[in-house]
């Protein structure tokens, strides 16, 4: 169903007119804003023009048509090129919005933002991230096609295209993603490399002289070179060859000139991150035969040519709709399932098999409980797909028997780590290898594509490697689930390099990211419910390596309280506490064990489990004050992480038992004892706090 237009030399004048329209619409917007990057649009407009008018399958009147090709401008600093393409081809992006580039409230921010500008597939700007998002999009397309296509019904059949820059190829995250894409043989992934040899501050000769073609070939990519970035016919030929190459992703190295046509700034970094200046804009227009006035000039012939995308898109979508209608009749269950996935809906009964865990003093690690919950859910939730950064045996995130996402026909002599169910693109276990950077960004691409609820797993300490991608997931409000295990100094002998202390605080600082640290197996099950029902933001599950008791919910409040972020686990006699003990995760067991000892000293204690600050803060003030009454100043928080942030819950008179230094190499039990995470120390700190608050109250 995917097709490309043919190229002829009969329209060279029109082609030149259209390319220059892209260039100067972009340049005028940057100059009016007195901010932006004019160099990339001037140099890369020809390749973008060929791609968007002859190859890209899209429907500007329906930016969310599911079988559209995806386009990623990984070089997001060149955003005005993308905005010009969107406006000219007929997306709901007016010329007035182009004129308001980088201004308050506009749909044309400095770097492209998903869900803000119609037609923008993913938020780009931090270099390498968009490149890696595209890999995730191509993986999503391959997976959905393998699961749902049937002979005669190619209902999922689209490409992922992108324009990438020197900076993208330099960033390590892109190298990780490129390596995996080559291994996975993602033949429907095609990137145009804007090889202009200039970065923001210098020419690439002082930092970047590797042979990129050979490097990508070594990673399993198909590569081609176009020596003249203005040669539309050569660009077209290269794209056609890449389009037909179905066993390898493609990189087309296009030699361009940053700031092309600018008499004084072409091929200089001055054209990269700053406007050309009014006089240089005039000279550039003169040099390329473009009228100096009016600004934002769009010739009728160019507009008409670009707007043909509307008719082509309508025809392509209509053909797809007809095919899908026939598919629905032939395969009603598959069609229903696919539609649910594309709409982001959870199927009826998805949570039927979530286990309830009986009380058990020995208990289990929450990472183990998480694995049991995932494997109970996965058969009923086909959208759940993901994996770990080579840590499945430690993170317990393997989906048993649901296949490994690998190229069909791969004859690997060593299939250690395979989860059963076959090696095909229909497999739901993604093997990222030791690539946390790439994993984070690829997860974003999977989520942005649609039809998948992706998860990725690693140790909590290595969430640091994923922070840029996690921040972008939160910015885009993507449904991505992170499974972080080995969550504290209690992991033991691996020592300070692997023992997280500041990571929880760091994750909690990210807007729109929900962080949940469950205390036992049943809270873990509740946490998975929250994660899967949260469609508009990412969720991080923070889990233990060590066993923790499974609480007797006949004695303690139901684990469903986790859905409110924090809840009263056990109250003081008559509901009138003298002291409140607050904890998350494994430390909840400590405050539970401390409670009877404090009660024996006639200190009325309330226990609060506070697994998610974000969920708790979203509750009404009335509820929050009912859990943590402002009148109770004696509040002790216990968590095996830095104390930063906890004073918002313990108040001016409270105390925090935390870890404000790095760990050490020793058995987990020894670590906890040496760092004060013992029942006796909790009791001592609680009594001292209670006495101090009582004295303060007495003076009042």
């Amino acid at each position: 169903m995917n097709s490309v237009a043919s190229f002829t030399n009969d329209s060279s004048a029109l082609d030149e007119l259209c390319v220059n329209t892209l260039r100067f619409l972009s340049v005028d917007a940057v100059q009016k804003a007195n901010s932006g990057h004019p160099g990339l649009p001037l140099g890369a407009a020809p390749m973008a023009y060929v791609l968007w008018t002859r190859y890209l399958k899209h429907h500007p009147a329906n930016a969310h048509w599911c079988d559209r090709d995806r386009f990623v401008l990984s070089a997001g600093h060149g955003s005005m090129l993308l905005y010009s393409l969107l406006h000219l081809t007929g997306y709901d992006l007016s010329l007035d919005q182009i004129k308001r580039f980088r201004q308050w409230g506009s749909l044309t921010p400095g770097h492209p933002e998903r869900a803000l500008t119609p037609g923008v597939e993913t938020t780009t700007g931090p270099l390498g991230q968009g490149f890696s998002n595209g890999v995730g999009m191509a993986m999503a397309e391959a997976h959905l096609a393998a699961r749902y296509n049937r002979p005669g019904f190619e209902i999922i059949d689209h490409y992922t295209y992108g324009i990438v820059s020197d900076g993208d190829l330099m960033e390590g995250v892109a190298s990780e993603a490129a390596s995996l894409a080559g291994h996975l043989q993602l033949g429907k992934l095609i990137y145009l490399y804007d090889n202009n040899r200039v970065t923001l501050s210098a020419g690439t000769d002082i930092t970047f002289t590797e042979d990129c073609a050979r490097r990508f070939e070594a990673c399993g990519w198909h590569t081609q070179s176009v020596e003249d970035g203005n040669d539309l016919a050569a660009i077209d030929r290269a794209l056609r060859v890449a389009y037909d190459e179905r066993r390898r992703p493609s990189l087309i190295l296009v030699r361009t000139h940053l700031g092309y046509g600018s008499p004084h700034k072409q091929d200089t970094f001055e054209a990269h991150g700053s406007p050309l200046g009014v006089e240089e804009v005039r000279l550039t227009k003169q040099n390329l035969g473009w009228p100096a006035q009016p600004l934002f000039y769009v010739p009728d012939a160019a507009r008409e040519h670009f707007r043909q995308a509307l008719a082509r898109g309508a025809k392509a979508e209509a053909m797809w709709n007809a095919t899908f209608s026939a598919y629905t009749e032939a395969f009603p269950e598959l069609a229903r399932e696919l539609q649910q996935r594309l709409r982001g809906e959870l199927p009826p009964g998805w949570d039927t098999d979530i286990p309830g865990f009986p009380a058990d003093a020995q208990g289990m690690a929450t990472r183990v409980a998480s694995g049991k919950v995932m494997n109970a859910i996965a058969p009923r939730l086909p959208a759940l797909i993901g994996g770990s950064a080579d840590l499945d045996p430690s993170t317990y995130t393997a989906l048993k028997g649901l296949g490994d996402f690998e190229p069909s026909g791969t004859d690997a002599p060593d299939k250690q780590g395979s989860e059963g169910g076959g090696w095909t693109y229909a497999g739901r276990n993604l093997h990222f290898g030791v690539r946390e950077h790439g994993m984070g960004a690829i997860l974003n691409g999977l989520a942005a594509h649609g039809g998948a609820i992706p998860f990725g797993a690693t140790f909590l300490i290595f969430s640091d490697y994923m922070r840029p991608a996690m921040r972008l997931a939160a910015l885009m409000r993507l449904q991505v689930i992170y499974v972080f295990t080995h969550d504290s100094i209690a992991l033991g002998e691996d020592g300070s390099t692997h023992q997280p202390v500041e990571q929880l605080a760091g994750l909690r600082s990210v807007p729109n990211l929900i962080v949940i640290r469950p205390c036992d197996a049943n809270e873990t099950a509740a946490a998975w419910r929250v994660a899967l029902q949260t469609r508009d933001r990412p969720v991080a599950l923070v889990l233990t390596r060590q066993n923790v008791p499974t609480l007797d919910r006949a004695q303690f409040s139901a684990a469903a309280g986790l859905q409110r972020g924090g809840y009263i686990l056990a109250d003081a006699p008559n509901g009138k506490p003298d002291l409140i003990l607050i904890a998350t995760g494994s430390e909840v067991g400590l405050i539970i064990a401390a409670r009877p000892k404090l009660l024996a000293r006639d200190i009325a204690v309330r226990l609060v489990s506070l697994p998610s600050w974000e969920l708790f803060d979203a509750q009404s003030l009335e509820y929050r004050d009912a859990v943590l009454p402002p009148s109770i100043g004696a509040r002790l928080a216990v968590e095996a992480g830095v104390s930063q942030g906890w004073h918002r819950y313990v108040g001016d008179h409270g105390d925090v038992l935390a870890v404000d230094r790095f760990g050490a190499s020793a058995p987990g039990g020894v670590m906890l004892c040496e760092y004060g995470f013992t029942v006796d120390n909790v009791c001592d700190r609680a009594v001292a706090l209670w006495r101090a608050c009582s004295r303060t109250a007495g003076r009042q």
Side-chain angles (χ1 to χ4, degrees):
M1 291 177 62
N2 213 322
S3 61
V4 297
S6 61
F7 176 84
T8 69
N9 291 319
D10 299 336
S11 57
S12 58
L14 178 60
D15 291 334
E16 183 178 1
L17 183 73
C18 290
V19 169
N20 282 334
T21 300
L22 281 174
R23 284 172 168 151
F24 291 111
L25 196 57
S26 302
V27 166
D28 283 345
V30 171
Q31 191 59 48
K32 184 175 187 296
N34 196 30
S35 176
H37 301 252
L40 184 146
L42 283 169
M47 71 174 84
Y49 168 71
V50 173
L51 174 61
W52 275 65
T53 60
R54 292 176 171 82
Y55 288 85
L56 195 68
K57 182 180 70 171
H58 63 129
H59 187 193
N62 183 6
H64 301 292
W65 171 38
C66 68
D67 201 40
R68 68 191 182 279
D69 290 339
R70 271 52 170 186
F71 174 77
V72 176
L73 182 67
S74 190
H77 53 273
S79 58
M80 259 318 306
L81 176 61
L82 177 55
Y83 301 148
S84 296
L85 288 162
L86 293 169
H87 168 71
L88 290 169
T89 55
Y91 285 82
D92 188 16
L93 189 68
S94 68
L95 187 60
D96 179 64
Q97 291 294 335
I98 300 295
K99 294 177 180 179
R100 296 180 60 214
F101 178 53
R102 289 185 168 224
Q103 303 308 300
W104 175 263
S106 79
L107 300 181
T108 49
H111 293 81
E113 294 187 26
R114 173 184 166 84
L116 175 66
T117 311
V120 171
E121 300 284 2
T122 185
T123 298
T124 57
L127 293 173
Q129 292 288 328
F131 182 111
S132 307
N133 292 170
V135 174
M137 292 176 185
M139 290 169 66
E141 192 277 342
H143 173 71
L144 292 172
R147 182 170 179 86
Y148 296 105
N149 287 355
R150 294 296 182 269
F153 295 97
E154 299 289 318
I155 55 169
I156 302 295
D157 183 18
H158 52 266
Y159 280 68
T160 301
Y161 296 99
I163 292 179
V164 304
S165 66
D166 295 313
D168 288 300
L169 268 57
M170 286 189 227
E171 289 286 1
V173 63
S175 294
E176 291 186 7
S179 175
L180 185 59
H183 163 76
L184 292 173
Q185 301 175 16
L186 299 175
K188 295 170 80 173
L189 176 65
I190 300 173
Y191 284 157
L192 292 155
Y193 168 28
D194 178 29
N195 184 17
N196 59 50
R197 301 181 186 174
V198 182
T199 64
L200 180 67
S201 65
T204 57
D205 287 348
I206 66 172
T207 59
F208 190 58
T209 53
E210 65 196 49
D211 188 329
C212 291
R214 292 179 64 188
R215 169 184 154 200
F216 274 76
E217 287 168 5
C219 287
W221 287 57
H222 174 256
T223 68
Q224 302 172 79
S225 294
V226 174
E227 297 304 322
D228 180 1
N230 291 306
D231 188 340
L232 304 187
I235 294 168
D236 179 83
R237 287 192 297 270
L239 279 167
R240 188 171 297 277
V241 170
Y243 183 91
D244 292 334
E245 170 57 59
R246 301 298 290 266
R247 295 292 290 179
R248 291 176 291 175
S250 290
L251 182 71
I252 303 172
L253 299 89
V254 185
R255 177 66 174 104
T256 60
H257 294 275
L258 189 76
Y260 176 78
S262 172
H264 303 109
K265 295 187 177 181
Q266 177 177 312
D267 294 326
T268 72
F269 66 81
E270 292 178 295
H272 190 291
S274 302
L276 295 178
V278 173
E279 179 61 14
E280 191 68 12
V281 168
R282 185 187 70 79
L283 292 174
T284 304
K285 289 180 176 180
Q286 178 180 310
N287 195 29
L288 295 180
W290 196 257
Q293 295 292 335
L295 301 179
F296 301 98
Y297 174 51
V298 179
D300 291 341
R303 184 184 301 277
E304 181 180 347
H305 186 60
F306 277 112
R307 290 292 164 90
Q308 290 177 13
L310 286 164
R312 287 196 303 270
K315 181 180 179 181
E317 185 175 357
M319 292 174 60
W320 184 88
N321 286 336
T323 301
F324 189 72
S325 179
Y327 177 83
T328 300
E329 292 184 9
F331 307 100
E333 292 301 319
L334 284 175
R336 186 178 303 112
E337 180 181 294
L338 175 59
Q339 288 176 314
Q340 284 178 338
R341 291 182 64 166
L342 294 174
R343 289 194 296 260
E345 298 174 352
L346 299 174
W350 68 272
D351 57 350
T352 299
D353 298 323
I354 293 180
F357 296 90
D360 182 357
Q362 177 66 27
M364 67 178 71
T366 53
R367 62 171 177 160
V368 175
S370 171
K372 292 180 181 294
V373 173
M374 291 176 68
N375 276 280
I377 291 170
R380 293 181 178 270
L381 184 58
L384 187 64
I385 179 172
S388 74
D390 196 47
L391 290 168
D392 283 352
S394 295
T395 58
Y396 287 82
T397 45
L399 302 180
K400 302 299 183 182
L402 295 182
D404 300 282
F405 184 89
E406 296 286 338
S408 298
T410 301
D411 185 22
D414 186 348
K415 293 189 177 181
Q416 293 184 75
S418 175
E419 304 304 339
W423 281 28
T424 70
Y425 288 146
R428 292 165 57 189
N429 287 286
L430 307 180
H431 299 280
F432 291 102
V434 188
R435 300 185 181 101
E436 280 93 351
H437 295 279
M439 176 174 71
I442 288 169
L443 292 173
N444 288 351
L446 285 158
H449 178 280
I453 302 175
F455 66 87
T458 187
F459 296 168
L460 178 59
I461 191 72
F462 300 129
S463 65
D464 287 347
Y465 285 176
M466 299 172 62
R467 281 295 295 276
M470 295 178 70
R471 182 179 189 274
L472 287 170
L475 181 62
M476 290 188 272
R477 292 186 171 273
L478 296 175
Q479 184 177 24
V480 178
I481 301 171
Y482 309 105
V483 180
F484 295 132
T485 67
H486 296 60
D487 70 344
S488 73
I489 56 172
L491 72 86
E493 292 88 344
D494 277 341
S496 57
T497 60
H498 283 53
Q499 291 167 359
V501 291
E502 77 278 17
Q503 280 65 34
L504 269 171
L507 294 178
R508 287 168 175 159
S509 73
V510 180
N512 299 334
L513 174 63
I514 295 175
V515 182
I516 308 177
R517 188 170 183 245
C519 74
D520 73 346
N522 287 305
E523 272 200 3
T524 303
W528 266 105
R529 285 184 182 274
V530 170
L532 290 167
Q533 291 173 327
T534 302
R535 294 180 54 185
D536 64 346
R537 65 197 66 193
V539 175
L541 306 181
V542 180
L543 309 172
T544 68
R545 175 180 185 265
Q546 76 275 24
N547 287 348
V548 292
T550 303
L551 303 185
D552 183 351
R553 295 295 170 166
Q555 297 183 38
F556 299 99
S557 298
L562 174 140
Q563 297 176 47
R564 305 187 78 169
Y567 62 104
I568 299 171
L569 193 63
D571 209 353
N574 301 318
K576 296 180 179 180
D578 300 318
L579 170 75
I580 301 175
L581 298 181
I582 315 167
T584 76
S586 49
E587 288 71 68
V588 168
L590 281 177
I591 65 172
I592 287 175
R595 180 171 179 258
K597 294 189 175 186
L598 294 170
L599 289 173
R601 301 183 68 163
D602 293 326
I603 301 175
V605 178
R606 170 179 290 180
L607 303 183
V608 171
S609 176
L610 195 67
S612 176
W613 294 7
E614 297 78 22
L615 294 176
F616 186 68
D617 290 348
Q619 305 306 310
S620 67
L621 179 61
E622 181 182 16
Y623 176 78
R624 285 179 281 138
D625 284 351
V627 175
L628 300 174
S631 60
I632 308 301
R635 306 182 198 175
L636 173 64
V638 184
E639 185 175 71
V642 294
S643 59
Q644 181 177 332
W646 268 110
H647 289 87
R648 66 199 292 186
Y649 300 111
V650 300
D652 293 338
H653 304 292
D655 188 16
V656 184
L657 173 56
V659 181
D660 286 313
R661 56 190 171 114
F662 290 122
S665 182
V670 173
M671 288 296 303
L672 291 172
C673 183
E674 293 293 332
Y675 278 66
F677 289 90
T678 65
V679 174
D680 286 345
N681 191 44
V682 170
C683 289
D684 290 345
R685 294 280 286 262
V687 170
L689 174 63
W690 173 69
R691 287 174 174 168
C693 288
S694 297
R695 286 195 297 271
T696 300
R699 288 194 296 269
Q700 295 173 347

